[in-house]
Amino acid sequence: MADEAPTVRQPVRDRVLAALEAAPGVDRSGPGREDFLRRFDAHFGSLAGLFEQLYGERGDWEDQLAQLVVGCAESWQQRPAALKDLDARREADPGWFQSEEMLGAVCYVDRYAGDLEGLRARIPYFRELGLTYLHLMPLFLAPEPNSDGGYAVSSYREVKPALGTMEQLRGLADELRGHGISLVVDFIFNHTSNEHEWARRAAAGEQEFEDYFWIFPDRTMPDAYERTVREIFPDDHPGSFVPMPDGRWVWATFHSFQWDLNYSNPAVFRAMAAEMLFLANQGVEILRMDAVAFIWKRLGTACESLPEAHLLLRAFNAVCRIAAPSLLFKSEAIVHPDEVVQYISPAECQISYNPLEMALTWEALATRDASLLGQALERRHSLPDGTSWVNYVRSHDDIGWTFADEDAAEFGIKGFDHRRFLNRFYVNRYPGSFARGVPFQDNPRTGDCRISGTTASLAGLEDVTDPSDSPALRRVLLAHSIAVSTGGIPLLYLGDEVGQLNDYAYAEEPGHGADSRWVHRPHYPAELYGHRNDPGTVPGAVYAGLKKMLAVRSRTPELAGNRLIGFGTGTRHVLGYQRPAEDAVVLVLANFSDEPQHVTSLTLSGFLTAATDLFTGQTVLLEDGITLPPQEFVWLRARSA
């Protein structure tokens, strides 16, 4: 189906078609040409309309558009037959990623498996776990040792030599796809490293590449922009600009070695579209679109989440619908909850991280109060058709408390004070805290910080040796139960499924000492995996609990998709929600308290008396209500009375 877009004038279309006919690199009679032209007919109107909105004030915008489409045609010609077959399958089943059998995992290649060949050797384990989606953290060429965890890319077409080669990555993608596992990588498209060829040529004074970045001769324009732009990493550098060796200034939102790309230049759009299509042709099926909120700049604004950022995403999407139609985008937008959802649509990012659910799951564990989490599920969980959340307990990144102050105020909670409490709690500075987190960018004067730590350490599993009656173990499973049952794609950080703890020796590794997030990016825990099939051990108990949970999900069609309806449990300690289907619902009840909690028969009176416990298969009678032990949850298939 064609995307909605402004009508494109026929002369523009004719000019682009003429450019296609004249392009020496485009085969005008080869196999697949008709398929390309069909996709061109379906999506060119959208692409051209968006391109005109972005660049129509430039006299060369039509020429730039024609060059872009020629690049799409050349990329389509180079696309392997197996990936064209995948395109056709995904076109026939556009909701494939909403299945109840979807399961994602994420890891750093070097830390989890050494290199790409080592990772390939772990495919049998990925199949054991049931993965259908594997996200490899940044693995492209980057400056060492300071690379921001790989998010400073020096080449989108070269793998870090220590990890392997692009040929090996392509082979890995093929083998994963053969086992039903989609390869996911990061597309860091807001910036490059200062060692990227484009940046080096800009630094050398080549005008073409100077225009790829935001470079100014003095502080006049940087000062003007910085009046309204916030500092992201003040510990690295003040403001948003850094000096170049020759006295000029370049925009660097994040680290001094990450130079922001100038998307007001259509040549940058074309160049990045080419990099995107190159990765798609290597077998990458999903791109995590990094720092989407920052990709457009305009003087006098915060330069975050501007309308043009959405136009850019839609334009990139239209490029992919023409030349790599099975490729999906995943949004990474750590912004106000109202802004997160703005990036999610079939025409922008089809899937998105759900940072609010993640943060509020940890908030509920700390407070033993599920009110904010329940409110978020009722108010902010809904998504457009054809899209999906990626739900996770923790990621490679820190935890920030992203809830909206106005939401918290409805429960009498002051946002600033509550964030300070949560920060203290999760770095074990609060009396009675179970958590063993580590502060990230800690400011003792203001109490501001974000939180680093593995799931096990944050949940208090560090001192547990006997899993038979462990609140910490129950917290780990409770947190995962929310990510697994609320809808979308559940995502595991590999190692969490066997209870991996913080790596407090992270600072001894070159380039890691100033970044506490490496505490929760440990190396492969071979010993823990060795115990995963022994439920009498802590790693075995965590693994068994998660495997059982995932098995139940995979055979429960009500848990597909995103649709969720809130359910008031009558107690702030117990989270409730419903996953509806045609003739039944799955009712989820989760007790965040350290004490047993009772959900009354009156609260459950909207359902027929008999429900089925999806974990045990047993009938549960609701006429006496349900009592949940501490940190326990239940999934019930129930029918309306």
Side-chain angles (χ1 to χ4, degrees):
M1 181 182 294
D3 299 326
E4 294 182 10
T7 302
V8 177
R9 297 186 302 276
Q10 188 65 34
V12 176
R13 178 185 175 84
D14 292 344
R15 186 171 184 174
V16 170
L17 286 172
L20 274 175
E21 288 298 314
V26 175
D27 187 345
R28 285 171 286 283
S29 60
R33 176 172 169 78
E34 288 186 8
D35 205 15
F36 177 81
L37 289 177
R38 176 177 62 83
R39 299 183 194 283
F40 173 85
D41 287 339
H43 301 290
F44 175 72
S46 175
L47 175 60
L50 293 161
F51 213 75
E52 184 173 14
Q53 290 181 70
L54 288 163
Y55 304 116
E57 294 182 0
R58 294 175 56 111
D60 66 343
W61 79 271
E62 292 182 18
D63 290 334
Q64 294 277 354
L65 176 62
Q67 292 178 63
L68 175 64
V69 173
V70 168
C72 288
E74 293 172 345
S75 180
W76 174 253
Q77 284 179 193
Q78 297 160 8
R79 191 158 172 79
L83 295 177
K84 290 181 177 179
D85 290 343
L86 178 68
D87 293 333
R89 293 199 304 274
R90 295 284 162 79
E91 191 172 41
D93 181 21
W96 65 273
F97 57 90
Q98 297 179 308
S99 166
E100 67 274 17
E101 296 182 358
M102 285 295 294
L103 174 63
V106 58
C107 69
Y108 283 88
V109 174
D110 55 342
R111 304 181 83 74
Y112 192 75
D115 56 21
L116 289 172
E117 288 306 309
L119 193 75
R120 198 168 185 166
R122 301 212 192 281
I123 289 178
Y125 171 70
F126 299 153
R127 295 184 65 193
E128 172 191 323
L129 189 56
L131 294 190
T132 61
Y133 159 127
L134 179 63
H135 180 179
L136 303 183
M137 295 302 294
L139 42 68
F140 302 115
L141 193 66
E144 297 295 347
N146 297 312
S147 67
D148 188 27
Y151 284 93
V153 176
S154 299
S155 171
Y156 297 91
R157 300 189 182 218
E158 296 176 73
V159 172
K160 294 177 187 176
L163 301 182
T165 66
M166 187 58 70
E167 182 180 3
Q168 288 175 311
L169 181 64
R170 185 165 57 250
L172 175 67
D174 288 346
E175 188 165 344
L176 288 170
R177 188 168 60 255
H179 291 294
I181 303 172
S182 297
L183 177 61
V184 187
V185 303
D186 293 81
F187 191 59
I188 297 99
F189 73 133
N190 175 72
H191 50 263
T192 72
S193 89
N194 59 358
E195 294 184 6
H196 193 286
E197 180 188 1
W198 303 340
R200 287 201 299 265
R201 295 177 73 172
E206 292 189 44
Q207 183 65 55
E208 177 186 353
F209 293 98
E210 288 178 354
D211 292 342
Y212 273 41
F213 302 94
W214 295 88
I215 296 175
F216 298 100
D218 55 38
R219 285 292 311 181
T220 303
M221 290 306 298
D223 287 342
Y225 276 106
E226 286 179 355
R227 292 188 188 105
T228 53
V229 174
R230 67 186 174 107
E231 292 181 332
I232 302 299
F233 288 146
D235 290 349
D236 182 80
H237 65 279
S240 295
F241 290 81
V242 295
M244 299 171 65
D246 60 7
R248 293 181 294 168
W249 292 81
V250 60
W251 200 314
T253 294
F254 299 104
H255 289 90
S256 57
F257 47 82
Q258 293 166 306
W259 291 5
D260 286 40
L261 289 162
N262 179 6
Y263 280 100
S264 66
N265 176 3
V268 171
F269 182 94
R270 288 194 298 105
M272 292 303 286
E275 304 305 282
M276 177 185 297
L277 293 177
F278 173 82
L279 292 174
N281 281 359
Q282 308 313 301
V284 173
E285 296 184 31
I286 300 173
L287 290 176
R288 173 192 178 272
M289 307 299 278
D290 181 63
V292 294
F294 296 89
I295 57 176
W296 193 269
K297 327 296 191 197
R298 188 165 65 244
L299 188 64
T301 73
C303 297
E304 294 182 41
S305 293
L306 294 175
E308 291 86 351
H310 297 280
L311 297 179
L312 281 172
L313 278 173
R314 293 173 70 90
F316 277 127
N317 219 306
V319 164
C320 293
R321 301 289 73 75
I322 292 171
S326 59
L327 188 71
L328 297 184
F329 291 170
K330 176 168 64 170
S331 165
E332 187 261 354
I334 310 302
V335 291
H336 188 283
D338 289 338
E339 293 180 21
V340 172
V341 74
Q342 293 173 13
Y343 292 93
I344 309 170
S345 79
E348 285 193 40
C349 294
Q350 296 83 10
I351 61 178
S352 174
Y353 286 115
N354 193 352
L356 183 63
E357 179 179 296
M358 178 274 296
L360 291 181
T361 298
W362 288 109
E363 186 272 346
L365 287 170
T367 61
R368 284 70 163 179
D369 186 333
S371 301
L372 272 175
L373 178 55
Q375 178 202 60
L377 291 176
E378 286 198 48
R379 185 173 294 176
R380 304 190 186 277
H381 187 79
S382 179
L383 287 179
D385 290 342
T387 64
S388 180
W389 287 118
V390 175
N391 293 317
Y392 57 108
V393 174
R394 67 99 172 181
S395 71
H396 74 287
D397 218 341
D398 55 275
I399 298 174
W401 308 110
T402 59
F403 60 83
D405 286 0
E406 59 270 27
D407 290 348
E410 295 180 20
F411 297 104
I413 297 170
K414 294 181 179 179
F416 178 81
D417 293 341
H418 199 50
R419 289 184 182 90
R420 289 193 65 177
F421 155 71
L422 291 168
N423 286 335
R424 292 175 62 206
F425 186 94
Y426 277 105
V427 299
N428 200 28
R429 296 174 184 167
Y430 190 85
S433 170
F434 53 73
R436 296 297 182 269
V438 176
F440 175 63
Q441 295 198 330
D442 191 15
N443 187 332
R445 182 178 59 83
T446 64
D448 185 39
C449 76
R450 300 197 292 277
I451 306 301
S452 297
T454 67
T455 295
S457 289
L458 291 175
L461 205 59
E462 295 214 352
D463 300 323
V464 175
T465 55
D466 180 4
S468 60
D469 184 26
S470 165
L473 173 64
R474 295 197 297 269
R475 290 186 202 105
V476 169
L477 296 177
L478 176 61
H480 280 98
S481 78
I482 307 303
V484 167
S485 65
T486 46
I489 304 170
L491 181 68
L492 304 174
Y493 192 100
L494 287 172
D496 275 8
E497 79 276 21
V498 290
Q500 188 167 21
L501 300 175
N502 286 345
D503 175 13
Y504 295 109
Y506 74 92
E508 298 172 10
E509 296 188 45
H512 294 178
D515 187 345
S516 70
R517 291 174 297 181
W518 289 103
V519 79
H520 60 232
R521 302 167 182 171
H523 292 275
Y524 180 79
E527 182 179 359
L528 299 184
Y529 279 108
H531 291 296
R532 71 182 183 276
N533 293 317
D534 180 358
T537 64
V538 171
V542 174
Y543 189 72
L546 278 172
K547 283 283 287 180
K548 185 174 184 180
M549 192 187 305
L550 294 168
V552 171
R553 179 181 187 269
S554 70
R555 61 175 182 260
T556 306
E558 295 95 329
L559 297 182
N562 289 294
R563 193 176 173 215
L564 180 148
I565 300 172
F567 182 79
T569 63
T571 167
R572 61 189 175 87
H573 301 294
V574 178
L575 177 69
Y577 48 91
Q578 304 169 73
R579 300 297 314 283
E582 245 179 66
D583 60 347
V585 301
V586 169
L587 173 65
V588 176
L589 302 173
N591 180 14
F592 281 82
S593 172
D594 295 332
E595 304 294 334
Q597 296 294 319
H598 187 69
V599 179
T600 68
S601 59
L602 180 62
T603 300
L604 299 169
S605 60
F607 301 106
L608 296 178
T609 299
T612 302
D613 186 320
L614 294 179
F615 280 84
T616 65
Q618 296 179 348
T619 297
V620 176
L621 299 179
L622 305 181
E623 57 193 358
D624 295 324
I626 294 175
T627 298
L628 287 169
Q631 297 101 21
E632 291 289 356
F633 58 92
V634 65
W635 299 351
L636 300 173
R637 179 175 281 123
R639 288 173 170 78
S640 298

